[in-house]
Amino acid sequence: MTAPAKPRHAGDDAAARRPSVSESTPLLAAEEDFIPPATPADLSEATTLNNQPNGDGDGNDNDDKPLPVRQIIVLCYARWVEPVAYFSIFPYINKMAQENGNLAKTEVGYYSGLVESLFSLTQMAVMILWGRAADRVGRKPVLVFSLIGVSLATGLFGMAKTIWQMILFRCLAGVFAGTIVTIRTMISEHSTSKTQARAFSWFAFTGNMGILFGPLIGGALAEPAKQYPSVFENIQFFVDYPYALPSFLVGIIGFSAVLVTAFLAEETLIAAPRNGDAEPGALAKPAPLSTWDLVKSPGVSIILYTYGHIMLLAFSFTAIVPVFWFTPVEFGGFGFEPIQISLFLGLNGLAQATWILLIFPPLHRRIGTNGVMRLCSTAYPVFFALCPAMNMLLRSGNPILEPSFWVLAPLVLCIGCGVSMSFTAIQLALNDVSPSPAVLGTLNAVALSIVSGVRAFSPALFSSLFALGAGNQWLWGYAIWALMVIMALGFTVVSRYLPDYEELKRQRERERAELGQPPHLAGHASANIAGTIGGMAGTGGD
């Protein structure tokens, strides 16, 4: 990791130029009211993009600003709602589709998959619009409005009585995709280079908890008249709408998050002085970056590609592994019973939470963002290769090797879950290369649009490829794992070309010097060098 740069001090007049944000600051102001802060000190307060110590004019180091725990908890609660809403329908969507469409069992998977694919495609279509809205009108109004939409759409989903109504309500939930992109941005802006790893480890852990509780709510409350006849059998509404109860509960949870964020969340987009209030001789605001200019900014494109590559590995493995565990041993699987699959899924969740909460923050401090990603990129192909190796133990029939499976398989799963640290590391890398805090919402939206696109096709594709390879016994049923190892090796190669954030920082400073800009106007770099501001972060593992 490169050594931190020496602290830079803003001028004595930095505080005088610092824009003020108060309860009266309009959240729906025009775009020109929201620009990057005027000084490096303000930038450090607002975003995680500045990883070097910055003075505030009084000799204080803003990187030492403590993490606002209350705000992070509020945002993590709002974050929890999204995976709860997304995963709550999984336990009953197949049966609901079968009943609503009078489908044969062989057709159910097609229609339930269609519902989820269209949801992800809808998210992909609107994500950038939400990101730009968050950069224009503010983070908080977009977050609150999106939560209202998700809560309503999820609550209505259980009332659907046809396949097309299911698709409509699910796509409506996808339209309000501003929740996740805004929360990521706000957490970034609440943290500093020293606290962002801890903040995003909480963010990731909360997402895992949503993945845990969502299916539990859906499975426990679906068809209440059948599951709990003594309570619901005589309530005709729940007989006619057997999937309304879990949807209503998730909707209520969503509205509780609306209230929490509306009253407790703080706006994080810094408002600049209005044009009439600007000081004489102040540097003009740079022209806003277009989405294409943002993508072309130094370091951004490779981080976006890496983001998509990591998510492809994650979604494909998530689609394969339940089928892999269920598939008979002779076809290349583990031959697990449902209870064994549940236990291994629980172990997987526990292991991921341990890696993200306990191991990632100190490891990140030691080797940096790039270091963590390179470590994960090395572990990915090994982890995937060990999956079919575990099947070989079961296939061997050896009285010594076969029992060792029950020791080695849980151990491989727990250690292999360490690759989940790459999910958090790539988010920090995205923060680090953002050209400006003014476009951080848009950049997150571009990344999440890519994720939604990957999620739209990868589960169906990779589960089908597994079934095809196992059924035809290509490479003894291990063909899918050969593909996964090759894909993982691609990540290994790409991780060697991640940006050097210190070099980006030096490049930005050189270009600013060529334009004759004083150091304290770092936040107002002209548009042609805005793409290099991402170099202000220094968490790369170089």
Side-chain angles (χ1 to χ4, degrees):
M1 181 184 298
T2 50
K6 293 181 179 180
R8 296 194 307 272
H9 295 279
D12 294 335
D13 58 343
R17 271 194 298 271
R18 183 173 299 142
S20 60
V21 180
S22 66
E23 292 295 330
S24 61
T25 301
L27 296 180
L28 299 177
E31 181 178 9
E32 57 266 20
D33 293 332
F34 293 94
I35 65 174
T39 70
D42 294 332
L43 186 61
S44 179
E45 290 175 4
T47 72
T48 62
L49 299 179
N50 188 354
N51 193 40
Q52 306 304 322
N54 277 303
D56 60 3
D58 299 319
N60 295 325
D61 184 354
N62 284 307
D63 266 1
D64 288 335
K65 185 185 73 170
L67 188 69
V69 174
R70 177 179 173 182
Q71 287 299 304
I72 299 300
I73 290 174
V74 168
L75 294 173
C76 283
Y77 181 67
R79 156 62 173 156
W80 181 68
V81 171
E82 193 266 346
V84 167
Y86 180 76
F87 287 98
S88 64
I89 73 169
F90 278 32
Y92 61 80
I93 186 173
N94 290 312
K95 189 172 184 182
M96 184 181 185
Q98 183 181 10
E99 294 173 354
N100 286 345
N102 296 316
L103 305 174
K105 289 186 177 181
T106 55
E107 298 177 322
V108 169
Y110 169 75
Y111 283 97
S112 61
L114 180 64
V115 170
E116 289 313 306
S117 293
L118 290 176
F119 169 83
S120 296
L121 289 174
T122 304
Q123 278 193 325
M124 181 177 67
V126 302
M127 196 74 75
I128 294 177
L129 299 177
W130 284 115
R132 287 209 168 273
D135 288 338
R136 177 186 290 268
V137 303
R139 320 303 193 199
K140 183 174 176 178
V142 169
L143 175 57
V144 172
F145 184 74
S146 298
L147 282 171
I148 292 173
V150 168
S151 303
L152 282 173
T154 304
L156 290 172
F157 182 81
M159 301 285 290
K161 298 300 288 183
T162 68
I163 294 290
W164 294 112
Q165 287 177 352
M166 293 172 64
I167 291 175
L168 173 64
F169 293 140
R170 197 59 168 167
C171 287
L172 186 61
V175 167
F176 293 96
T179 304
I180 187 64
V181 62
T182 310
I183 292 172
R184 286 174 184 264
T185 306
M186 294 178 77
I187 289 180
S188 298
E189 292 170 337
H190 271 305
S191 55
T192 68
S193 62
K194 292 184 178 180
T195 60
Q196 64 175 346
R198 184 155 56 103
F200 275 98
S201 67
W202 292 357
F203 172 87
F205 175 75
T206 308
N208 286 338
M209 290 300 98
I211 294 172
L212 171 65
F213 283 99
L216 288 178
I217 292 172
L221 299 182
E223 300 183 299
K226 292 183 178 179
Q227 291 201 71
Y228 314 105
S230 60
V231 179
F232 295 101
E233 189 176 35
N234 296 322
I235 303 178
Q236 189 61 36
F237 177 83
F238 291 117
V239 175
D240 295 337
Y241 298 94
Y243 307 105
L245 185 59
S247 292
F248 286 172
L249 179 58
V250 173
I252 291 170
I253 292 172
F255 278 110
S256 72
V258 171
L259 296 176
V260 168
T261 53
F263 288 103
L264 299 180
E266 296 176 358
E267 178 59 67
T268 59
L269 185 63
I270 302 298
R274 295 182 179 276
N275 293 337
D277 299 331
E279 289 188 1
L283 194 64
K285 175 176 75 80
L289 288 175
S290 67
T291 302
W292 181 240
D293 289 335
L294 175 60
V295 172
K296 292 191 299 181
S297 298
V300 170
S301 57
I302 189 170
I303 291 298
L304 289 174
Y305 172 80
T306 306
Y307 205 133
H309 200 132
I310 290 173
M311 291 301 106
L312 178 62
L313 295 175
F315 290 139
S316 56
F317 179 76
T318 301
I320 291 168
V321 74
V323 187
F324 170 61
W325 289 343
F326 178 77
T327 299
V329 173
E330 60 270 22
F331 287 99
F334 286 175
F336 279 176
E337 297 295 329
I339 184 61
Q340 293 170 315
I341 294 176
S342 298
L343 290 173
F344 264 59
L345 285 173
L347 181 63
N348 176 78
L350 179 62
Q352 283 197 25
T354 302
W355 280 100
I356 291 171
L357 275 180
L358 303 182
I359 299 175
F360 175 75
L363 184 64
H364 178 268
R365 284 195 298 271
R366 185 175 181 85
I367 65 176
T369 302
N370 285 358
V372 171
M373 283 201 285
R374 287 167 183 160
L375 181 63
C376 292
S377 74
T378 303
Y380 256 115
V382 177
F383 177 43
F384 290 159
L386 286 174
C387 290
M390 293 300 101
N391 169 262
M392 293 178 185
L393 294 179
L394 293 175
R395 274 186 172 183
S396 67
N398 187 295
I400 298 177
L401 293 180
E402 189 173 348
S404 66
F405 166 87
W406 298 104
V407 176
L408 293 177
L411 187 62
V412 166
L413 180 63
C414 289
I415 296 176
C417 281
V419 298
S420 62
M421 293 188 296
S422 62
F423 309 154
T424 304
I426 191 60
Q427 177 63 48
L428 301 188
L430 195 71
N431 298 341
D432 291 345
V433 298
S434 178
S436 160
V439 296
L440 186 57
T442 302
L443 182 56
N444 273 285
V446 172
L448 292 173
S449 295
I450 295 172
V451 171
S452 296
V454 172
R455 187 167 62 180
F457 75 86
S458 57
L461 173 62
F462 283 90
S463 58
S464 298
L465 288 176
F466 175 85
L468 191 63
N472 291 284
Q473 283 297 284
W474 293 340
L475 290 179
W476 308 280
Y478 304 145
I480 189 64
W481 295 113
L483 176 61
M484 294 293 289
V485 169
I486 292 171
M487 290 168 49
L489 288 172
F491 175 36
T492 307
V493 173
V494 170
S495 70
R496 299 305 186 261
Y497 295 93
L498 295 172
D500 181 341
Y501 307 116
E502 278 299 304
E503 178 57 32
L504 285 177
K505 172 180 176 292
R506 288 189 289 269
Q507 177 186 350
R508 171 190 173 273
E509 290 177 343
R510 284 194 301 268
E511 296 189 14
R512 191 175 68 243
E514 291 174 1
L515 294 176
Q517 292 181 333
H520 67 271
L521 292 178
H524 290 280
S526 60
N528 66 315
I529 64 168
T532 62
I533 300 180
M536 295 177 68
T539 53
D542 298 314

